[in-house]
Every structure is written in C-alpha cells, then in structure tokens.
C-alpha cells in the first residue's frame, strides 16, 4: 500500500474545515490516517474561525475500512474506537461526505459523525464478517441506533453493502448529494452549525448542544422473539463460522447495554475474533483473491477487445456460460448441432434467466433484455462476428478438435478460441486450430452462471494477450480466475482425484460413506464427498475410469467399490441409489453398500478397523496437499493460495478454513509429510511424497510464505 507522507490534509471552505484523507488505494484507516484525522479534528475544534467540519476522501472511495495489513501489530494511538468516540463527542458538527464505499472502520467513522451525506452511487457496509471479524469501532452499537436492530443484524451478519438510496430510506444517511458532494456536505455542515448556534444562544450554558450524536440515540423498539429466531438461523447457516452470530449478538446487546458497556462488549468480541484461526484464514483468503489475478508475465500486456462471445453447445454447461455472459452485458451467440438441440438449449437459457427474475434477483425487463442479447441457432457459421468463442461441447478430443478446425475457417484470425474441457489436453485441442496461440482453456464450474471459479489454462502456446483476454473476460463475468497449467484435471480436478481416491481407500480400510461425510461436514463442508458424488452422478467418473483402464498404473491401489455400485445401476441421486439410497428426496444409509464395502475389503485382504473423524480429515488434507505440492513443484499453479481459492470457490471448501494449503501450514508440514509417508507405505504407488513437500517440511518453510 502506498504510504503517502501526509495522508490527511486540512482545507477551509468559509467557516467549514475540510479534513481530507488521501491514502491510496482505498483510504484504509491506517495509523497515519487515524492520527492525522485526530490532530485535524482537535485543531478545528479550538479554531474560532471554524464552525463545522467535513471529513471526506480523495481518490476512488471513502475510507474502506481499518487497514487490514496493520492487524497483528500493536494498534497505536489513537485507536479507531477512540477516534470514533472523539468525533462523536466533538463540540462542532462533523459531517461525513461519502463516495465510493464506506466500509468497516470507514462506515464506523461515518456513523460517529453528526451527519452523513453520500453520492448517489456510494455504498455503505460492515463487511468485517467476511474477514472472520465483527465491527470493532462501534459499528454494532451505533448502526442499530440509526436503522433499528433487525436491519442492523442483517447488515452485520452478512456484510452486505447498502446503496445510498436504501441507506437514506432507512436513516443510515441524512441526504444523497444532488450536486457536488463536497459542496453539498459543506452546506449541510453549515446548516448544522447554524442550528447548533441558534440552540445554544437561548440555552442554559450547562445544556449539551443539540448535535445529533448517534451513540445518544435510543435503540428503536423491535420484536425480540423474531430477532432471537433470526440469530439462530444465522448461526445455523454459518456452519461453524463464528463471526456472523457473534456480530448479530453484539447488535442485540446494543438494546440492553448503555453505549459504553456495549462498546466494551463489542471490543472484547472483536479482539477474540481477531486472534482466531478463522479470521487468520479469511484474511488469507482476502489477500489470496487479490493476488490470484496477478500474473507476472502479463504485466503491461493489453487484452484483446471482446464484445461478442460465441458459445458452442447449449447443454447444462453451455447454457450456464451463456447466461453468465449475457448477465455481464456481452452479445451472445449460441450454436448447437441440430435444430432440436438448439430449441432445447434456448429454453434452458430462457429458464435460467426467468428463474433469476422470479427469485427477484433481476427484473423481468433485465431477463428479457438478456435473452434479447442472446441468439441461439444450429449453425456455427453464426460465430463469424465473435471476438471469442467458448466451446462447451461433449468432452471428447475428436469432437473438440473438429470444432476448432471448423471454427478456424469461420471466425476472424484474431478471435480467441477457448475450451471448457475438464480433463482433455487443451494443447491437443488447440493444435487443431489454425493459430494455436489464440487457444486458451476457460474451465468453468457447474452451474457456470452461479459458481465463482474459472480455471484459466495456458497451453504451451497461448499468446500473452490471449491469456490477458481470458482474465479480462473472467473479471467482467465477476468470476474468480486462477491460472492453471496444462495437466490432467488442471488444479481442481487433479487434486480432487487424489481426495476421491483416499476417501475410497478409507472405505476398504474401515470407514463408511456416512462417517466420512459426517467428518467433512463437521469440518464445514456443506456436503460430504459421498453425498456430492451421488449428487453429481457416479456414471461420469465410471466412464472415465473405463476409458483410462488400459493405461492405469497397475501398481497403484485400486478400489472397486464405486465400479460395483455402477454395475448395479446405482448412479447416485438420479437413479434413486448410489452411495446412499434416496426416498422422497431423503438420503438414507444403505446396509447393502456396507455389505459391498466389507466384501471388497475382504477380497483385497484389508483388515478393517474403525477410523475416527480426525484421521479422516488428516488423510484427506494430506492427500490434497501432497498433490497440491506436486502441482506447485511442476509450476502448474502460480502459488499455494491459488490452490486454496480453487477449493473454496469450486468445491465448497469453507472459506473460514482457508483452503487445504493454508490448513497444511497450520497443521505443520511435518505432520502432513508423516501422513503422506504412511500413505506411501500403505497405499503404494502414486502416494510418494511430493519433492516440494519434503523440501519444505525439512527446511521449516510454509506454503504461506
Ligand atoms: N486494508 C488494507 N488494504 C486494503 C483494504 C483494507 N481495508 N481494502 C482493500 N485493500 C487493498 C487491497 O488489498 C488491494 O491491494 P493490492 O492492490 O495491493 O492488491 C487494494 O486495496 C485494492 O483493493 P481491491 O483490489 O479489492 O479493489 P476493488 O476496487 O475491487 O475493491 C473494496 C475495493 C470494495 C474496498 C475492497 O477492497 C474491499 O472490500 N476491501 C475490504 C473492505 C473491508 O473488509 N473493510 C473492513 C476491514 S476490517 C475493519 O474495518 C475493522 C474495524 O471494524 C475495526
């Protein structure tokens, strides 16, 4: 972060003192900012020529929070809570002039002011929950005094931002600027100063000035039983993450405690969370997300312009991609192979837009506009005007190669060709195109309009500006893009394959599917692996195993249980049975599966024993980390934190656990290595410790740095 020598300056507009924060990139409330604002405030209070104060920011935003990079260091005076108290106690009116995003500590500064005025495009929020924290400078105590407990609980527990119009409606701000924000804020501050002066002229000297101090306001009455129920729901939905519930309960405390007690209570809870593993994990994720798009080789490389995007194939994946593209404002051209398939694809796409409208997420007009921007047909010649074509056709090399060869004769030579393959080699697909350097992998996760992750796969030949184009498109789609090298399964599916194998080994070794699922759900996964396999369908992986059977390493341990389930027609939820049985939508443990597992263990000569939840988790994490270390060692991922992001955003890994590589650091790489060595001894080929893991464990280094 830029540490400008004077992040806070003071200007005068008539009798109004402007305290201006200029601390790029997001005006975070660093120590220098806090002390600068405090000094300026104290000076303005004692300056007789000043009647009121406005706090505003230069650059793209109002203060976007406490400075996360300073967490872990001694706070340094003035602390943010002390600054907020001092602002609130000021003898002259203080007005916050808000543009961009007033978040966390920035929102708390605004809450402590006597007036708040915002640009029409500004947003306010307390997103600390996303960092495993709660507001620590009065947010949970002042917000409910302005907007009531129910709305404040909602904001604190979800971290959602509130747009200026809603903030005005709810009383979070006093006005939306109609002209220049600073001028409007100055006029507002002058008005408050005038009111104050008039009130004090006729007043008893001992009477407090009638400045509207948020902390003095009563908490509006609310339905306590309804809030208690809501907090229960918040805690249940958080699945082990602490901050949403703790934040909601602190808001509730504002109704029963006076301001000083409420602030102390909030500060204690904040300090506990700041020291927690959960917050460390979520802060790791925050910085990991910002690092993911940084590709050294792409610095200064301009992306090719993309306005019109083609999607080949309108099955589940193609339709999801088309919807995501239309949502992001692209002109979309979809082509299927036959008229019937195109019709089916059109109704699939229309259905997804319609569902978004019915859920209230978008308006009917927006749904109609997105459909109008999408042309669906059955002739790939329609792709001629496309700047980018994404193929989402059947995952078969010959099919994809034929398509890329045909596309080469249709689209402009500078149009980018992207493959959404999950397992095929994009190099081989790209070789069929007239210019392989314009080929890139864009691996979406299903459903593509919902899942945030996209793996961007660079083939050996992808041109830098093509790679930059892929990142630019992913950014416009609001996706989290992670760069992956060309290897079987890329980052996610390659590691997932080790995860899956180790889960199946554990069945033979003594665990049952529901025990493994329970262990991972207790860890924070929304669904255990076997329930997920059933949901996704067992037949796809079975087909792949059969395809690869001829080339499989016979020295590697192979568990046949999944094959046996498939041979019995148990393909998962869609066939009513898989690892579990399904009746009326309910999942039930099946004694028949236990029998198959026990018989297979016997056939393999494995003596089953009970495996506890801790061992289940350690084996899974160690299997993932070993493969992750191999991927890093081979240069298939740029950094360990990218691997964490893949699992958090593509496979439901709880963000508050920080991802498998983060977990490995916390567990100790020595512990992970010992577990992998046990795997090698027990499971044989394929489970050799990754050289990078060995090297790091022995030298005491961590994946985090
Ligand atoms: N502290 C330190 N650095 C921050 C920061 C913060 N609060 N917020 C953002 N940054 C940094 C980012 O790390 C990034 O740095 P980089 O360029 O070196 O990678 C840079 O600012 C720009 O951030 P983004 O790439 O995220 O920029 P966007 O324009 O996409 O988003 C934003 C801007 C909406 C402000 C987003 O950065 C954001 O959500 N920031 C976090 C806000 C937040 O969580 N605030 C609460 C902090 S905790 C707190 O306030 C505790 C208090 O209650 C006591």
């Amino acid at each position: 972060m830029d540490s400008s020598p004077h992040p806070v300056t003071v200007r005068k507009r008539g009798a109004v003192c402007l305290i201006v924060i200029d601390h790029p990139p997001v005006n975070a409330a660093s120590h220098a900012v806090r002390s600068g604002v405090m000094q300026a405030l104290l000076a303005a209070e004692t300056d007789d020529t000043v009647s009121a104060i406005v706090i505003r920011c230069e650059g793209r935003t109002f203060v976007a929070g406490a400075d996360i990079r300073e967490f872990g260091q001694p706070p340094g005076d003035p602390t943010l809570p002390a600054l907020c108290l001092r602002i609130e106690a000021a003898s002259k009116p203080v007005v916050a002039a808000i543009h961009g995003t007033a978040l966390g500590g920035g929102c708390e500064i605004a809450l402590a002011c006597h007036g708040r005025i915002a640009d029409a495009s500004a947003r306010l929020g307390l997103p600390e929950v996303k960092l495993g924290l709660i507001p620590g400078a009065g947010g949970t105590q002042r917000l409910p005094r302005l907007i009531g407990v129910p709305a404040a609980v909602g904001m604190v527990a979800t971290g959602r931002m509130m747009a200026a119009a809603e903030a005005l409606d709810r009383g979070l701000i006093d006005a939306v600027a109609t002209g220049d924000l600073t001028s409007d804020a100055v006029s507002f501050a002058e008005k408050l100063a005038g009111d104050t002066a008039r009130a004090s002229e006729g007043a008893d000297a001992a009477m407090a000035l009638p400045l509207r101090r948020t902390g003095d306001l009563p908490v509006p009455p609310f339905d306590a039983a309804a809030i208690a129920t809501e907090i229960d729901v918040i805690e249940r939905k958080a699945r082990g993450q602490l901050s949403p519930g703790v934040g909601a309960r602190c808001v509730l405390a504002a109704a029963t405690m006076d301001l000083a007690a409420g602030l102390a209570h909030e500060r204690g809870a904040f300090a506990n969370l700041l020291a927690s593993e959960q917050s460390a994990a979520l802060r790791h994720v925050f910085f990991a997300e910002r690092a993911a798009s940084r590709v050294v080789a792409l610095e200064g490389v301009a992306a090719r312009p993309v306005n019109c995007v083609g999607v080949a194939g309108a099955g589940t994946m193609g339709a999801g991609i088309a919807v995501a593209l239309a949502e992001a404002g692209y002109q979309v051209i979809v082509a299927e192979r036959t008229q019937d398939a195109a019709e089916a694809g059109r109704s699939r796409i229309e259905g997804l837009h319609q569902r978004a409208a019915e859920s209230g997420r978008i308006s009917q007009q927006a749904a109609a506009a997105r459909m109008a921007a999408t042309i669906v047909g059955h002739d790939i010649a329609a792709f001629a005007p496309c700047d980018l074509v994404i193929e989402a056709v059947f995952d078969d090399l010959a099919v994809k190669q034929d398509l890329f060869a045909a596309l080469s004769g249709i689209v402009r030579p500078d149009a980018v060709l992207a493959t959404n393959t999950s397992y095929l080699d994009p190099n081989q697909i790209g070789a069929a195109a007239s210019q392989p350097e314009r080929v890139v992998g864009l691996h979406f996760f299903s459903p593509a309009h919902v899942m945030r992750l996209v793996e961007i796969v660079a083939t050996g030949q992808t041109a830098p500006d093509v790679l930059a184009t892929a990142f630019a498109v992913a950014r416009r789609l609001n996706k989290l893009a992670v760069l992956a090298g060309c290897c079987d399964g890329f980052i996610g599916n390659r590691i997932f394959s080790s995860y899956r194998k180790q889960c199946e080994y554990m069945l033979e070794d003594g665990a049952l599917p529901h025990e493994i699922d329970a262990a991972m759900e207790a860890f924070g996964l929304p669904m255990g692996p076997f329930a997920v396999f059933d949901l996704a369908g067992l037949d796809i992986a079975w087909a792949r195993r059969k395809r690869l059977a001829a080339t499989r390493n016979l020295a590697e341990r192979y568990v046949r249980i999944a094959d046996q389930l498939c041979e019995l027609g148990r393909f998962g939820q869609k066939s009513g049975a898989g690892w579990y049985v399904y009746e009326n939508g309910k999942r039930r443990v099946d004694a028949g599966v236990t029998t198959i597992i026990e018989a297979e263990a016997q056939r393999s000569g494995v003596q089953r024993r009970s495996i506890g939840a801790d061992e289940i988790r350690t084996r899974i994490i160690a299997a993932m980390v070993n493969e992750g270390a191999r991927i890093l060692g081979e240069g298939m991922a740029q950094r360990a934190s990218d691997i964490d992001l893949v699992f958090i955003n593509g496979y439901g890994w709880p963000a508050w656990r920080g991802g498998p590589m983060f977990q490995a650091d916390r567990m100790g790489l020595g512990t992970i290595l010992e577990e992998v060595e046990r795997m090698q001894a027990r499971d044989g080929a394929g489970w050799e410790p990754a050289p990078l893991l060995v090297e790091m464990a022995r030298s005491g280094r961590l994946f985090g740095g």
Side-chain angles (χ1 to χ4, degrees):
M1 181 167 301
D2 180 316
S3 49
S4 143
H6 301 292
V8 179
T9 50
V10 172
R11 293 168 212 170
K12 281 284 282 295
R13 280 260 191 114
V16 175
C17 167
L18 294 178
I19 299 180
V20 182
I21 303 169
D22 185 6
H23 187 46
V26 296
N27 291 314
S30 64
H31 181 233
V33 167
R34 296 194 306 272
S35 43
V37 173
M38 184 65 110
Q39 275 173 27
L41 180 73
L42 297 178
E45 274 201 293
T46 52
D47 182 343
D48 290 342
T49 65
V50 170
S51 65
I53 298 151
V54 165
I55 301 179
R56 73 162 191 83
C57 291
E58 289 291 352
R60 63 207 235 205
T61 181
F62 193 75
V63 177
D67 192 329
I68 304 170
R69 289 175 207 271
E70 286 185 358
F71 287 167
Q73 299 168 19
D77 284 335
T79 61
L80 199 54
L83 177 63
C84 289
L85 276 173
R86 192 63 195 78
I87 292 171
E88 188 165 62
S91 53
K92 295 174 183 174
V94 185
V95 169
I98 301 164
H99 76 290
T101 46
L103 299 178
C107 185
E108 291 173 301
I109 289 175
L111 288 169
C113 289
H114 309 119
R116 286 154 292 279
I117 180 161
D119 253 353
S121 60
R123 287 174 298 164
L124 295 92
L126 294 169
E128 287 87 344
V129 65
K130 296 180 187 170
L131 297 170
L133 298 171
I134 61 163
T140 64
Q141 304 304 296
R142 293 193 177 94
L143 187 64
R145 289 175 154 85
L146 284 179
I147 67 171
V149 168
V153 161
M155 273 183 90
V156 168
T158 61
R160 88 167 171 102
M161 291 194 228
M162 194 179 271
E166 186 186 349
L168 179 64
D169 248 23
R170 292 192 180 270
L172 174 47
I173 58 173
D174 302 288
V176 173
T178 48
D180 169 64
L181 174 65
T182 308
S183 306
D184 283 11
V186 166
S187 308
F188 186 46
E190 282 167 344
K191 181 185 170 308
L192 290 186
D195 293 349
T196 309
R198 270 194 302 283
S200 60
E201 272 157 21
D204 182 308
M207 257 173 69
L209 295 176
L211 274 175
R212 189 170 180 257
R213 293 191 169 89
T214 314
D216 291 346
L217 300 174
V219 173
F222 60 97
D223 179 342
I227 285 294
T229 310
E230 194 185 328
I231 295 180
D232 283 347
V233 173
I234 288 168
E235 286 175 338
R236 228 185 4 260
K237 275 198 188 155
R239 273 200 213 93
Q241 186 184 335
L242 297 173
S243 54
V246 174
R249 289 190 187 282
C250 276
V251 171
L252 196 55
T256 55
M257 295 180 185
D258 64 23
L259 182 71
L263 289 176
H265 177 70
E266 177 198 78
R267 197 65 188 165
F270 173 82
N272 283 342
L273 288 172
L274 188 61
S276 70
E277 281 292 295
Q278 294 198 358
S279 178
L282 285 161
R283 280 180 274 142
H284 160 76
V285 172
F286 177 85
F287 289 114
E289 287 191 0
R290 274 131 196 102
S293 59
R294 252 175 250 139
V295 181
V296 178
L298 295 186
E299 259 163 41
V301 177
R304 298 183 186 182
V306 175
N307 295 306
C308 178
V309 185
V311 181
T316 307
M317 189 51 101
I321 295 172
V323 166
L325 288 164
E327 269 181 24
Y330 287 107
Q331 164 74 49
V332 188
I333 299 175
V334 182
E336 257 294 351
R337 278 193 303 186
T338 63
Q339 189 164 353
D340 284 354
E343 286 305 323
R346 185 200 312 281
S347 41
R348 205 169 284 129
I349 293 167
E350 204 157 21
L352 292 175
H353 286 309
Q354 208 43 51
R355 233 167 287 154
E358 278 158 16
S359 72
R361 205 166 57 77
I362 59 169
S363 66
Q364 279 293 349
Q365 291 97 303
R370 286 169 192 184
M371 205 53 218
T374 309
I375 299 166
V376 188
H378 61 282
D379 183 357
I380 60 168
F383 288 145
C386 291
D387 308 304
L388 159 72
V389 179
I390 305 170
E391 72 75 16
V393 299
F394 188 61
D395 215 16
D396 175 273
L397 185 60
V399 172
K400 292 193 194 263
Q401 283 182 327
D402 285 353
L403 177 70
F404 271 35
L407 282 174
S408 301
I410 293 170
V411 297
R412 289 190 321 271
D414 64 336
V416 174
L417 301 180
T419 170
N420 178 53
T421 184
S422 302
Y423 284 103
L424 299 173
D425 180 355
N427 270 306
Q428 288 185 22
I429 299 172
S434 60
Q435 286 150 302
E437 63 276 13
R438 60 163 147 169
V439 174
V440 65
L442 270 181
H443 183 217
F444 289 85
F445 285 68
S446 189
H449 59 297
V450 176
M451 297 295 284
R452 204 170 156 228
L453 180 67
V454 178
E455 285 178 323
I456 294 183
V457 188
T459 74
Q461 300 191 55
T462 307
D465 65 336
V466 169
L467 207 52
T469 308
F471 272 98
V473 170
R475 199 163 30 249
R476 182 157 157 198
L477 292 176
N478 217 358
K479 302 282 183 201
L480 183 80
V482 168
L483 182 64
C486 252
C487 58
D488 189 33
F490 313 129
I491 298 175
N493 282 341
R494 177 168 162 185
I495 295 178
F496 192 72
S497 164
S498 295
Y499 170 17
R500 183 179 197 130
K501 277 185 206 161
Q502 202 50 235
C503 285
E504 293 185 2
Y505 293 173
M506 282 192 277
L507 296 181
E508 271 194 353
D509 293 345
L512 291 172
H514 66 276
E515 292 168 348
I516 296 177
D517 281 357
M520 293 315 286
E521 283 164 19
F523 184 71
L525 261 66
M527 254 181 152
F530 289 97
V532 171
F533 301 152
D534 270 359
L535 186 67
L538 307 187
D539 46 336
I540 302 161
W542 187 37
R544 184 159 183 272
R545 285 197 298 277
K546 285 194 282 192
R547 222 171 36 238
L548 299 178
T551 51
R552 181 162 63 79
N553 178 1
L554 295 177
E556 195 175 302
R557 180 174 177 188
Y558 188 81
V559 171
R560 299 191 323 168
I561 304 166
D563 293 348
Q564 293 200 16
L565 294 181
C566 290
E567 281 154 19
L568 294 169
R570 302 179 64 124
F571 296 142
Q573 266 192 42
K574 61 185 168 193
S575 65
W579 291 103
Y580 295 91
V581 279
Y582 297 86
E583 277 158 14
N584 305 324
K586 279 225 151 77
R587 188 164 64 223
R588 211 168 35 73
V589 173
D590 185 355
V593 173
T594 309
T595 309
I596 294 174
I597 292 170
E598 286 169 353
E600 267 308 297
Q602 204 168 23
R603 196 193 61 82
S604 308
V606 177
Q607 183 66 41
R608 282 170 57 79
R609 62 175 176 87
S610 133
I611 301 181
D614 279 345
E615 184 182 340
I616 290 172
R617 288 191 280 262
T618 305
R619 277 174 74 167
I620 287 176
I621 292 169
M624 295 173 81
V625 169
N626 194 42
E627 197 59 41
R630 222 173 257 149
I631 284 176
L632 278 174
E634 292 167 15
M636 295 294 160
Q638 287 199 95
R639 45 183 89 79
S641 62
D642 281 1
I643 296 176
D644 288 333
L645 293 180
V646 165
F647 278 86
I648 291 167
N649 295 283
Y651 298 81
W653 190 282
W656 57 269
R657 293 281 191 188
M661 308 308 273
F662 178 86
Q663 279 294 316
D665 278 353
R666 302 315 249 210
M667 290 164 73
L669 297 191
T671 306
I672 299 286
L673 178 59
E674 277 169 24
E675 189 60 46
V676 176
E677 283 165 348
R678 271 194 288 277
M679 286 176 189
Q680 184 185 19
R682 184 187 53 230
D683 305 324
W687 296 95
E688 302 78 13
L692 182 66
L693 176 64
V694 176
E695 183 198 316
M696 291 181 71
R698 299 220 168 116
S699 61
R701 277 160 59 216
L702 296 175
F703 289 117

